[in-house]
Amino acid sequence: MTATDQPPSRTDEADRAARGGDVVPLRQATRTWFAISWQTFGGPAGQIAVMQRALVEDRRWIGQQRFNHALSYCMLLPGPEAQQLAIYTGWLLNGTRGGLVAGTLFVLPGVLTLLALSALYVAFGSTTAVVGVFAGLAPAVVAIVVQAVSRVAKRSLTHPLLIALAAASFAALALFAVPFPVVIAAAALAGWLIGRYRPDALTPAGGHGADDGPAPLIPDDALHHEQPGRRRTWRILGAGLLLWAVPVAAAALLTGTGSVFTAQGLFFSGTALVTFGGAYAVLAFVAQQAVQTYGWLSAKEMVSGLALAETTPGPLIMVVQFVAFLGAYRDPGSLDPWAAALLGALLTTWVTFVPCFLFIFLGAPYIERLRGNRRISAALSGITAAVVGVIANLALYFAEHALFTDVEARSFGPLHIALPDLSTLRPTALAITVIAALLVLRLRWSVLRTLGVCAAIGLGAALTGLPGI
C-alpha cells in the first residue's frame, strides 16, 4: 500500500458513506480501479482474486463478508460476474459515479487489447511469432487460475459443510454436466438449510477465512445510503434501456435492418441476457450461431478468438468482440472493411456490457437491505461456497484445453466427462505451466511479470521449432 492509498479515519468514512458521500476520494478509487484493470487475467477466478487482494486484503476498503455477499448476488445475474462485482464495489465506495468508473475501467484494457489483437489476427494471424506468444500465455494462465482458486477457497470455505458444498458443486458440473442454474439453486437451498440447522457453520472461524486485519472502511454491518424505491427503479430502468437500445436502433436506421451491424447488435443483446454461469455457459451457442447461422467466422477462428480472449485482461465474454470484428470486416457493406470491423466490435461490446450496469444499479440497493435477513444471507453463503466449485471447474476446463490438443466428451451412464487424449499432451505447454506455477505459487511473482516471462518462453519455443506449443 502506497502512502496515497493510506485510508483516512474509518469512523469518519463510514459516517460519510451513510450520509451519501464517497468512502474514498473518487480520484484515488479511479487510480486503484485502473491498476486492477490491467491485472484481470485468468478468467473470473483471477479477476475476483485480484479485487479481493487489492480491496479486501491490502487497502481494507471493504470487508470479506460484504465482498462475499456482493459476489453471491453477482453470480445470480447473467453476464460476467467479476465485472458486475467491480460495479457493485465501486457503487459501495463512490455511488453511481464509482460504479460507472469501476465497471468501465474493468473492461477497457480488454477492449483495447482485443481490438489490437483482432486486427493483428486479421493481418498476420498465421505468423510464427504471434502463434508463439499466445502459446506461451495460455498455459501460464492455468497456474494463475489455480492460485486464484486457492485464494478464494481459503477465504470462503470456513467450515467442513461449506467445503463439502463446494466439492459437490464441482462434481455436479465436472462429472454430471448439471446445468449451472440448477447448481446455484441447489447451493442456495443448501445454504438456507445450513443456516437453519447449523448456523455455526456460517460463522468464520478465527485464523481460517476470518476477516483479519484493521477494520474495513465499509463495515460488514453498515447499509449503503441509497434507498430503493419505485421512482428510482423506473428512472434507472428507463435510462438503461435507452442507452442499451439507441446504438442498435441507430445501426438499423443508418445501415439497414439487414446489415451485419443490426444483426450483431440484436444477437449479442440477446446473448447478454442468457449468459448465466459465465462465458463458457453461452459460448457454445454463440459459436454455433456465429459459425453456422451467420457465417461471421469459421470454427477454427472461433477457437483462436477464445484463445485471444483467454490471454487478455477482462471478462472472457469479450470474445464476442472478436467474433463481431471478423464478421463485420468480411461483410462491411458500403464501409471500409477496417472501419466496419471497428464499428461492429464496439457496438457488440456496448450491448454486451451495458446490461451489467443496469442489473447492479437496479438490484444493489435491495440486496443491501437483505443482508440483515439471516435466511437470505445463509442462502447467499451457500452460493458463495458453490462459486469455489464453479471456478475450479472452469480451471479444469481451461487446463485440459491448454495442455492437450484433443479433448473428447464421454458419457458413462449418468457421468458426462471431458477426457483429454493423453497422446496429444503438449510437452512445451506443460513445461511452461510448471514454470508459471513455480513463479506464482512458490516465488509469488505478480501476474503480469509471470505472463511476460511465459510469453517470452512461448515465443522462443516457436522460433526454435520446439514441439507441443
Side-chain angles (χ1 to χ4, degrees):
M1 184 185 299
T2 64
T4 59
D5 286 332
Q6 290 292 341
S9 167
R10 281 164 165 75
T11 302
D12 293 344
E13 293 302 328
D15 291 342
R16 185 184 301 175
R19 297 192 303 268
D22 293 335
V23 175
V24 297
L26 182 61
R27 180 177 298 180
Q28 180 181 345
T30 300
R31 290 198 301 267
T32 299
W33 287 116
F34 181 78
I36 290 174
S37 69
W38 287 101
Q39 302 175 55
T40 53
F41 293 89
Q47 293 155 9
I48 293 168
V50 166
M51 284 188 284
Q52 172 158 314
R53 183 173 63 249
L55 305 175
V56 179
E57 300 173 8
D58 294 346
R59 290 172 177 81
R60 303 296 296 162
W61 285 356
I62 182 173
Q64 186 65 55
Q65 293 181 31
R66 197 70 169 273
F67 187 82
N68 287 347
H69 182 88
L71 175 59
S72 298
Y73 170 59
C74 295
M75 287 296 298
L76 295 174
L77 300 173
E81 61 270 21
Q83 191 223 5
Q84 290 165 342
L85 179 60
I87 299 171
Y88 196 125
T89 308
W91 174 78
L92 287 174
L93 291 168
N94 300 97
T96 301
R97 297 180 307 160
L100 291 172
V101 168
T104 301
L105 287 179
F106 192 86
V107 300
L108 186 59
V111 170
L112 298 177
T113 304
L114 196 54
L115 274 177
L117 293 176
S118 298
L120 188 66
Y121 183 87
V122 169
F124 311 104
S126 60
T127 61
T128 301
V130 174
V131 171
V133 168
F134 292 127
L137 289 173
V141 173
V142 175
I144 292 168
V145 172
V146 169
Q147 180 200 40
V149 172
S150 175
R151 280 178 170 269
V152 176
K154 182 179 179 180
R155 287 289 182 176
S156 302
L157 306 183
T158 57
H159 190 275
L161 285 176
L162 297 178
I163 296 175
L165 182 54
S169 300
F170 172 80
L173 293 165
L175 302 180
F176 297 97
V178 177
F180 175 82
V182 175
V183 173
I184 293 299
L189 176 60
W192 179 82
L193 292 173
I194 292 173
R196 181 172 182 179
Y197 296 105
R198 290 294 305 276
D200 59 296
L202 302 181
T203 302
H208 180 66
D211 199 1
D212 300 325
L217 288 180
I218 304 177
D220 287 327
D221 57 352
L223 289 176
H224 192 274
H225 72 277
E226 194 162 5
Q227 296 284 341
R230 183 178 303 176
R231 183 176 180 181
R232 176 190 178 278
T233 297
W234 283 112
R235 185 176 70 251
I236 291 178
L237 185 62
L241 292 177
L242 188 66
L243 288 171
W244 193 2
V246 164
V248 181
L253 181 64
L254 297 175
T255 64
T257 56
S259 72
V260 66
F261 309 107
T262 304
Q264 289 178 348
L266 293 175
F267 174 69
F268 289 114
S269 291
T271 59
L273 297 176
V274 297
T275 52
F276 293 95
Y280 286 116
V282 77
L283 280 182
F285 171 72
V286 170
Q288 181 186 38
Q289 295 296 310
V291 173
Q292 299 178 10
T293 302
Y294 294 103
W296 291 331
L297 74 176
S298 68
K300 183 178 179 181
E301 288 171 334
M302 184 70 195
V303 173
S304 298
L306 180 59
L308 292 179
E310 291 277 16
T311 53
T312 55
L316 179 60
I317 196 62
M318 198 77 74
V319 67
V320 299
Q321 178 183 297
F322 175 84
V323 174
F325 190 98
L326 265 64
Y329 180 86
R330 289 163 180 168
D331 185 15
S334 60
L335 298 178
D336 175 80
W338 290 104
L342 179 62
L343 177 60
L346 294 179
L347 176 63
T348 295
T349 301
W350 180 268
V351 300
T352 298
F353 291 107
V354 164
C356 297
F357 294 91
L358 184 58
F359 295 146
I360 296 300
F361 291 147
L362 280 176
Y366 294 96
I367 295 299
E368 283 289 292
R369 267 66 193 173
L370 293 176
R371 286 190 299 108
N373 187 306
R374 293 185 177 181
R375 294 180 178 179
I376 294 178
S377 294
L380 290 177
S381 294
I383 294 173
T384 301
V387 166
V388 178
V390 171
I391 297 175
N393 179 60
L394 295 182
L396 174 63
Y397 176 94
F398 189 78
E400 289 177 334
H401 288 80
L403 301 181
F404 297 90
T405 303
D406 296 326
V407 179
E408 182 181 0
R410 302 287 296 274
S411 296
F412 306 93
L415 293 177
H416 300 278
I417 309 173
L419 294 176
D421 183 348
L422 298 182
S423 65
T424 65
L425 175 67
R426 299 169 175 168
T428 304
L430 177 61
I432 294 175
T433 302
V434 172
I435 293 172
L438 176 64
L439 295 179
V440 299
L441 298 176
R442 188 62 179 264
L443 301 181
R444 300 188 182 278
W445 280 24
S446 69
V447 170
L448 293 180
R449 188 180 180 188
T450 301
L451 288 173
V453 169
C454 293
I457 295 174
L459 175 61
L463 294 177
T464 57
L466 287 179
I469 63 169

